[in-house]
Amino acid sequence: MMKIAVFGLGYVGAVTAAGLAAQGHTVVGVDVDPVKVDLIAGGHSPVVEPGIDDLMREGVASGRLSATLDCREAMDSTDVSLLCVGTPSTSHGATDLTYIRRAVQDVRDAMDHVRPPRSGHHSVVVRSTVPPRTGRDIVAPVFATDPPEGWRVGTAMCPEFLREGAGVADFFDPPFVVVGSVDDDTHRTMASMFDFLDVPIQHVSVETAEALKYACNAFHATKVSFANEIGRVFRPYGVDSREMMEIFCADTKLNIAPTYLRPGFAFGGSCLPKDLRSLQHMARINGVDAPQLLGTATSNEISVRDVIDRVLSVGGRHVALLGLSFKSNTDDLRESPNVELAERLIGKGFDVRIYDPILNPQQLMGSNRAHVMARLPHLDRLLMTTPQDALVGADIALVSAGGEQVVEALQDAQPRLLIDLTGRLGLEVERCAGYEGVGW
Ligand SMILES: NC(=O)c1ccc[n+]([C@@H]2O[C@H](COP(=O)([O-])OP(=O)(O)OC[C@H]3O[C@@H](n4cnc5c(N)ncnc54)[C@H](O)[C@@H]3O)[C@@H](O)[C@H]2O)c1
């Protein structure tokens, strides 16, 4: 069992403190608000959450849970500090890290005045939501540049995923536990602290742990707005969006699934762009605002523009485009963003050579042929039969097709810039000269 100091006794801190005390740890909560400290001292919760009152009362009665305004009292012989202070928005929307900075400094100052834990090792762990690089730039340096005597300090980010209203239940049954740290002792401490949970601990970089919480919240917000917006668009057509979304959610293959959630290049093809346009049209003719649908199309367009800008910044004139269809294992070129890339780069005067492992221009027909001929009338001339041919003299390679032949050709050609458009090309490609991920 450990001694744990919890800084900040709001929703996250109060639930965390009471939950860890219930697991047998000795927990001292610290807050700058005397009302919250007094409430806990009296066995009461400073926040309203189902189940928390019992946990608080039992924790305080057992002597394992206490609260104080005095940081030194909490830090004496303590194994872990969990920082759960608020990180509100500034008037410009930035994350205000004032409370984090102050709490980190309080922890550091206290170390000069109190005994280190018996092991000598102490973990300072951020549970508040903070932007990537906060741990690296703000938390870790406080202990690295001015190390406290007698203490070995490791720092980490371990985001909290509880929801208000279900905080206690979520604390004991989180979707995952994520620890971002470069310190092995801190990883071990966190694994031991959470060993009562039934979920594996994901060890990641500090920045990944920090970013993850924002990605989760953005996705939750996007889902709510999507369901609301799609309901608004279809309401004039008499569609009961509750019934429709019920069925929508039953699709765990494409809808409620990891499908389409891997970072990569723009979407395209014969359906998504067309149907998105139709939906926007339906919204427009009925006077319905659909900013998320509009934003989706804009965001997709920016994915293409971003790659063009990166190509322009290199300075070379020769581009190899390896992979032309909008996804692998199809020769459908309709609204392929790779066709768009080729068209725009040719328009800007680049010498573009294309290789696609399954594309045969002689076999293209119908609307597929009409589409590509309208955008790339000289496709026959641009299309090479091997990746080596496409890469002759190439300064830049834009790659969405994989395979042994492509890997070997890239290794030989060594372009100045190699943009991976899929993220699934493999380590051999990622080790090639000039490699950059499109979004990583
Ligand atoms: N509320 C949620 O559901 C939730 C869920 C997951 C993550 N988070 C994140 O966790 C963090 C805390 O959220 P919250 O809702 O618990 O905040 P909160 O505002 O309810 O509580 C923060 C507490 O920190 C205290 N505090 C400020 N400076 C302090 C210091 N130097 N020392 C000790 N205490 C100090 C405040 O007095 C306050 O009691 C935020 O970053 C938030 O984004 C919140």
Side-chain angles (χ1 to χ4, degrees):
M1 287 300 140
M2 295 180 233
K3 186 176 173 205
I4 300 166
V6 175
F7 288 80
L9 296 169
Y11 288 90
V12 170
V15 170
T16 303
L20 290 173
Q23 291 306 308
H25 298 291
T26 301
V27 182
V28 184
V30 187
D31 205 293
V32 291
D33 182 346
V35 176
K36 292 188 178 178
V37 169
D38 284 348
L39 277 168
I40 293 183
H44 303 292
S45 172
V47 298
V48 175
E49 278 293 327
I52 198 164
D53 290 328
D54 291 345
L55 280 185
M56 281 284 173
R57 197 171 38 249
E58 286 158 19
V60 173
S62 70
R64 286 194 300 274
L65 176 60
S66 59
T68 177
L69 293 165
D70 181 1
C71 178
R72 291 184 193 178
E73 185 187 330
M75 286 298 292
D76 188 41
S77 309
T78 295
D79 301 287
V80 188
S81 305
L82 299 178
L83 307 188
C84 306
V85 297
T87 51
S89 285
T90 67
S91 55
H92 294 103
T95 309
D96 184 350
L97 295 172
T98 308
Y99 304 126
I100 284 284
R101 287 178 196 275
R102 195 169 306 153
V104 171
Q105 200 55 53
D106 287 348
V107 167
R108 171 63 193 85
D109 291 346
M111 287 175 174
D112 288 334
H113 300 280
V114 298
R115 292 167 296 174
R118 205 144 14 117
S119 69
H121 185 272
H122 181 92
S123 301
V124 178
V125 182
V126 177
R127 302 227 71 192
S128 306
T129 304
V130 294
R133 295 200 69 89
T134 301
R136 191 184 291 254
D137 295 345
I138 293 176
V139 181
V142 171
F143 304 95
T145 50
D146 177 22
E149 218 180 305
W151 298 69
R152 280 185 302 114
V153 179
T155 57
M157 174 70 189
C158 177
E160 172 55 64
F161 292 97
L162 65 78
R163 295 162 297 170
E164 283 177 24
V168 172
D170 285 350
F171 178 81
F172 288 108
D173 185 23
F176 33 57
V177 174
V178 180
V179 178
S181 181
V182 289
D183 180 49
D184 289 342
D185 283 335
T186 295
H187 277 301
R188 274 190 285 277
T189 299
M190 296 307 283
S192 150
M193 182 187 292
F194 286 118
D195 67 0
F196 63 95
L197 295 174
D198 217 8
V199 290
I201 297 192
Q202 317 261 4
H203 296 290
V204 297
S205 73
V206 182
E207 286 74 23
T208 295
E210 291 167 329
L212 180 69
K213 178 68 192 181
Y214 286 99
C216 289
N217 278 349
F219 189 49
H220 302 160
T222 302
K223 281 166 54 166
V224 172
S225 296
F226 173 78
N228 293 346
E229 187 166 305
I230 209 90
R232 280 201 306 275
V233 171
F234 285 129
R235 206 168 75 89
Y237 295 91
V239 175
D240 184 338
S241 55
R242 295 169 303 179
E243 182 187 49
M244 184 193 65
M245 289 306 285
E246 194 72 38
I247 303 165
F248 174 102
C249 292
D251 173 0
T252 53
K253 194 172 162 193
L254 300 180
N255 291 348
I256 312 301
T259 326
Y260 305 131
L261 281 172
R262 311 234 189 264
F265 194 41
F267 62 76
S270 61
C271 295
L272 266 51
K274 166 178 84 69
D275 293 348
L276 204 55
R277 277 194 299 273
S278 293
L279 273 169
Q280 286 169 254
H281 183 256
M282 286 180 231
R284 237 181 356 257
I285 58 175
N286 289 298
V288 173
D289 285 329
Q292 197 174 91
L293 296 174
L294 191 64
T296 301
T298 308
S299 181
N300 205 47
E301 152 64 21
I302 290 171
S303 294
V304 178
R305 208 190 309 154
D306 176 59
V307 170
I308 306 256
D309 287 346
R310 283 159 72 176
V311 169
L312 287 171
S313 71
V314 172
R317 303 310 300 168
H318 301 278
V319 177
L321 185 61
L322 307 182
L324 189 62
S325 55
F326 78 102
K327 61 180 175 185
S328 51
N329 300 325
T330 175
D331 70 347
D332 193 348
L333 297 176
R334 285 174 293 173
E335 301 213 39
S336 164
N338 293 17
V339 172
E340 181 81 18
L341 266 183
E343 186 189 7
R344 289 207 211 167
L345 287 170
I346 291 165
K348 287 182 186 297
F350 282 87
D351 165 36
V352 177
R353 292 175 180 214
I354 300 168
Y355 165 76
D356 189 288
I358 65 167
L359 194 68
N360 181 347
Q362 270 71 50
Q363 286 176 357
L364 290 177
M365 53 193 77
S367 59
N368 195 13
R369 182 173 186 81
H371 175 82
V372 75
M373 286 309 154
R375 319 298 301 269
L376 299 174
H378 309 298
L379 181 64
D380 289 342
R381 197 157 43 77
L382 305 175
L383 203 59
M384 306 289 130
T385 47
T386 68
Q388 278 82 1
D389 290 341
L391 280 159
V392 171
D395 307 292
I396 299 135
L398 306 176
V399 189
S400 54
E404 216 171 294
Q405 222 191 341
V406 169
V407 173
E408 278 171 21
L410 285 168
Q411 284 167 338
D412 291 343
Q414 302 196 356
R416 278 152 65 192
L417 174 65
L418 185 175
I419 300 186
D420 172 358
L421 298 173
T422 73
R424 291 189 292 277
L425 296 174
L427 274 181
E428 281 172 307
V429 172
E430 295 190 20
R431 290 196 192 109
C432 284
Y435 177 90
E436 285 180 13
V438 67
W440 52 93

